[in-house]
Amino acid sequence: AQSVAQPEDQVNVAEGNPLTVKCTYSVSGNPYLFWYVQYPNRGLQFLLKYITGDNLVKGSYGFEAEFNKSQTSFHLKKPSALVSDSALYFCAVSEPGGSYIPTFGRGTSLIVHP
Amino acid sequence: EAGVAQSPRYKIIEKRQSVAFWCNPISGHATLYWYQQILGQGPKLLIQFQNNGVVDDSQLPKDRFSAERLKGVDSTLKIQPAKLEDSAVYLCASSLSGPEAFFGQGTRLTVV
């Protein structure tokens, strides 16, 4: 069965500093990987995805993520954090073929301090 | 392009009452998902439809939850009777093909 782990409940970073939100996954085959962001009282918004190809994926709002197959990780990164990036971030994984059902991690709260 | 629409946004009911949520997916999206998101947790899949057929409902508590997708478009999720532990945000999502899903704003259910 597929699963996702987000080891940090909360990440704190100062505005202007780089940020990393960690995600590791477990699937039986090649993964499809996603990052979503959730602002208060809003639904999940898609940030980026890895399906195949280049291990470094660029997404919305300056975010990027690096797929590392040997470490089964898909960490979310941004070179310079903004206060407006403060939100809840979810990593998700699905397996190709069949139903593509995404399984979500429990989320990481990112707090960017001015 | 219009997004996934859900209603109501908020609902407060007493335990043992019934409640229904409605979802209108993005036009043309064949796949529709209902997720339950309890406070402090990630979304958990309840049911997935492909057109009007059920693909996966293994985590749907069928003794109290039911869902349907009429004509392969709109969907309703019903809880009857509700329990306190059903308090959560219910998210609807849709996808055209493949795994990328687009989410609605959700319905926040409080059971008192």
Side-chain angles (χ1 to χ4, degrees):
Chain A
Q2 59 198 37
S3 65
V4 172
Q6 293 182 244
E8 303 154 315
D9 288 337
Q10 185 172 301
V11 170
N12 291 278
V13 64
E15 187 174 31
N17 283 0
L19 70 88
T20 299
V21 182
K22 296 179 180 178
C23 171
T24 58
Y25 66 89
S26 175
V27 296
S28 57
N30 293 320
Y32 291 161
L33 294 158
F34 308 86
W35 277 101
Y36 286 84
V37 60
Q38 188 175 38
Y39 297 99
N41 299 316
R42 302 286 296 275
L44 274 73
Q45 296 178 34
F46 171 80
L47 274 181
L48 51 80
K49 66 182 177 186
Y50 171 83
I51 303 296
T52 187
D54 194 347
N55 289 344
L56 184 63
V57 178
K58 294 187 183 297
S60 306
Y61 313 121
F63 284 93
E64 58 188 28
E66 186 168 10
F67 170 61
N68 187 317
K69 188 173 183 177
S70 63
Q71 296 184 6
T72 61
S73 67
F74 190 58
H75 301 332
L76 180 70
K77 300 181 180 183
K78 188 174 182 181
S80 179
L82 300 172
V83 172
S84 57
D85 293 330
S86 298
L88 197 54
Y89 289 81
F90 291 94
C91 182
V93 66
S94 68
E95 295 186 71
S99 60
Y100 293 116
I101 297 173
T103 297
F104 285 81
R106 60 181 295 160
T108 298
S109 177
L110 173 67
I111 300 174
V112 181
H113 302 277
Chain B
E1 175 180 81
V4 176
Q6 289 188 247
S7 67
R9 288 293 313 279
Y10 305 93
K11 189 74 176 179
I12 301 174
I13 62 172
E14 295 182 350
K15 59 183 179 183
R16 292 188 288 275
Q17 285 187 324
S18 62
V19 65
F21 312 127
W22 173 82
C23 173
N24 180 242
I26 294 173
S27 178
H29 281 197
T31 306
L32 185 146
Y33 309 85
W34 281 103
Y35 281 86
Q36 179 192 57
Q37 185 178 14
I38 294 173
L39 186 64
Q41 300 181 19
K44 182 186 82 172
L45 181 75
L46 292 176
I47 189 167
Q48 179 189 1
F49 292 95
Q50 182 74 19
N51 295 309
N52 60 354
V54 175
V55 174
D56 188 303
D57 63 357
S58 57
Q59 297 192 86
L60 187 73
K62 299 181 186 63
D63 58 333
R64 298 184 300 105
F65 286 64
S66 65
E68 61 181 4
R69 189 179 184 193
L70 299 176
K71 300 180 181 179
V73 182
D74 293 3
S75 177
T76 56
L77 176 69
K78 297 179 181 178
I79 308 175
Q80 183 179 13
K83 293 185 176 182
L84 295 177
E85 59 260 36
D86 298 332
S87 295
V89 176
Y90 290 85
L91 296 165
C92 179
S94 69
S95 65
L96 180 60
S97 63
E100 182 180 342
F102 296 86
F103 284 79
Q105 290 187 292
T107 296
R108 182 178 297 277
L109 173 67
T110 302
V111 183
V112 298

